Amino acid sequence: MFVQYKTVSINDINIFYREAGNTSNPTILLLHGFPSSSHMYRNLITKLMDEYHIIAPDYPGFGNSDQPEMDEFEYTFDSLAQLLNDFIQKLKLDKFSIYVHDYGAPVGFRIATKHPERIQAIITQNGNAYEEGLLPAWDPIRTYWEKPTEENKNNLNALLSADFTKYQYTNGTRNPERISPDAWNMDQFVLDRPDNKEIQLALFYDYRNNLKQYPNWQEYFRTYQPPTLVAWGKNDIFFGSEGALAYQKDLKDCEVHLLNTGHFPLEEELETSANLIKQFLGERLK
């Protein structure tokens, strides 16, 4: 068993992705968050690839994928989801489970609502779909939504700094010394690329449209009832545990685990997360 590192052209944009496991096994599509990439799944992939076929792409402007200019690609969550939908079709993924983290939720839930017949199960790890999950750390971004002035925009630059990237990984963890600096250094390398800051600020601004989609996603949950595993870092500064518990309102088969860690649970709760996924999907994808 080994991990392959591939690139495929989607609408003239080179999309990097990691692939592992036997294609005859159930597929899990891993959708990453901010400010990360498929690199956040580097350890999870090796834990799952003996039983599952794993696909983990990088979005445009993230990780090892191309970073098209802003006048060449519209950096919105609608556009990211459409491009990932084209990616799914190109790879001929007919049925799969989605694992969503942070930004992966608005991307993945758009894909799910557009093609509910493809989704076998959902794993959400700090991937939010409910207003009650949004904590006060969103206030500076909400201010920018309400008043998109240069001043309010510039106030968000701190969220793109090396200090804050490290903070996202270490805050809320039980033992920060167990978190590898490779994770935040890899993310920051991409954030510091020329013109990447404007891309991230555009996505911060567009995130307001995700909140408008929450009712649609919740309706999808109620209508199609995908089996859902919620394995949430309960000390996340952005997405509170209320957002994790809220899934139970709309889903009958919904298993919630609140893990004593921060925004990136895989850094500190890899074994627990992998075991939960294997147990949950093993019982439902027979």
Side-chain angles (χ1 to χ4, degrees):
M1 283 287 181
F2 50 85
V3 181
Q4 298 181 78
Y5 305 92
K6 299 182 174 182
T7 302
V8 63
S9 179
I10 306 293
N11 306 331
D12 297 323
I13 300 171
N14 288 317
I15 296 298
F16 171 86
Y17 66 102
R18 298 164 198 251
E19 182 171 14
N22 191 318
T23 55
S24 64
N25 287 334
T27 297
I28 308 175
L29 179 66
L30 306 178
L31 298 173
H32 68 81
F34 164 85
S36 194
S37 65
S38 62
H39 180 259
M40 69 170 282
Y41 296 123
R42 65 201 178 280
N43 297 320
L44 181 66
I45 291 171
T46 59
K47 296 285 184 187
L48 299 179
M49 65 186 187
D50 58 331
E51 296 180 32
Y52 298 95
H53 173 228
I54 309 295
I55 299 285
D58 292 350
Y59 314 140
F62 291 79
N64 293 296
S65 287
D66 280 355
Q67 179 182 300
E69 300 292 333
M70 292 184 69
D71 59 356
E72 298 171 352
F73 181 80
E74 186 179 14
Y75 285 93
T76 64
F77 288 91
D78 278 349
S79 294
L80 293 180
Q82 181 57 55
L83 186 137
L84 261 293
N85 199 58
D86 293 344
F87 170 85
I88 289 163
Q89 291 178 313
K90 185 87 172 255
L91 268 59
K92 296 182 171 59
L93 305 179
D94 295 326
K95 288 189 179 297
F96 49 88
S97 300
I98 54 172
Y99 173 124
V100 299
H101 175 267
D102 189 80
Y103 278 11
V107 173
F109 294 152
R110 278 176 170 82
I111 291 169
T113 53
K114 186 171 184 178
H115 289 286
E117 73 283 357
R118 292 179 177 168
I119 306 302
Q120 294 178 299
I122 292 171
I123 302 140
T124 176
Q125 193 152 58
N126 299 67
N128 197 59
Y130 294 86
E131 279 273 3
E132 49 265 55
L134 298 172
L135 295 177
W138 281 94
D139 289 351
I141 298 176
R142 285 184 185 273
T143 299
Y144 181 46
W145 295 343
E146 292 159 11
K147 292 184 180 179
T149 63
E150 280 300 310
E151 180 184 1
N152 288 335
K153 182 179 181 180
N154 291 334
N155 287 339
L156 301 182
N157 286 333
L159 302 180
L160 305 173
S161 68
D163 285 346
F164 190 75
T165 301
K166 177 181 178 180
Y167 181 73
Q168 286 192 74
Y169 276 93
T170 58
N171 179 68
T173 60
R174 299 187 305 282
N175 188 347
E177 293 180 349
R178 289 190 57 206
I179 313 303
S180 170
D182 296 347
W184 62 78
N185 287 332
M186 183 71 70
D187 292 356
Q188 197 61 39
F189 175 78
V190 176
L191 289 175
D192 289 341
R193 287 193 303 207
D195 301 325
N196 192 270
K197 183 181 293 184
E198 288 301 316
I199 288 169
Q200 303 302 338
L201 291 170
L203 287 170
F204 283 168
Y205 187 60
D206 186 62
Y207 201 94
R208 73 197 191 283
N209 291 316
N210 294 332
L211 276 64
K212 298 173 187 174
Q213 291 294 321
Y214 284 179
N216 296 336
W217 303 341
Q218 293 158 18
E219 180 62 27
Y220 158 76
F221 298 151
R222 288 191 295 272
T223 302
Y224 292 95
Q225 292 295 323
T228 299
L229 170 65
V230 183
W232 206 274
K234 67 178 182 179
N235 307 325
D236 191 336
I237 56 165
F238 283 111
F239 302 115
S241 54
E242 296 84 357
L245 296 168
Y247 282 92
Q248 295 177 312
K249 295 189 300 185
D250 296 314
L251 291 159
K252 294 169 186 171
D253 184 5
C254 181
E255 196 175 293
V256 178
H257 299 265
L258 299 179
L259 310 178
N260 186 19
T261 191
H263 182 66
F264 286 98
L266 294 178
E267 299 298 315
E268 192 168 41
E269 291 285 6
L270 174 67
E271 293 290 342
T272 302
S273 300
N275 290 337
L276 287 172
I277 292 167
K278 284 188 169 186
Q279 181 178 354
F280 186 83
L281 294 185
E283 293 172 355
R284 288 157 181 84
L285 301 184
K286 291 176 181 177

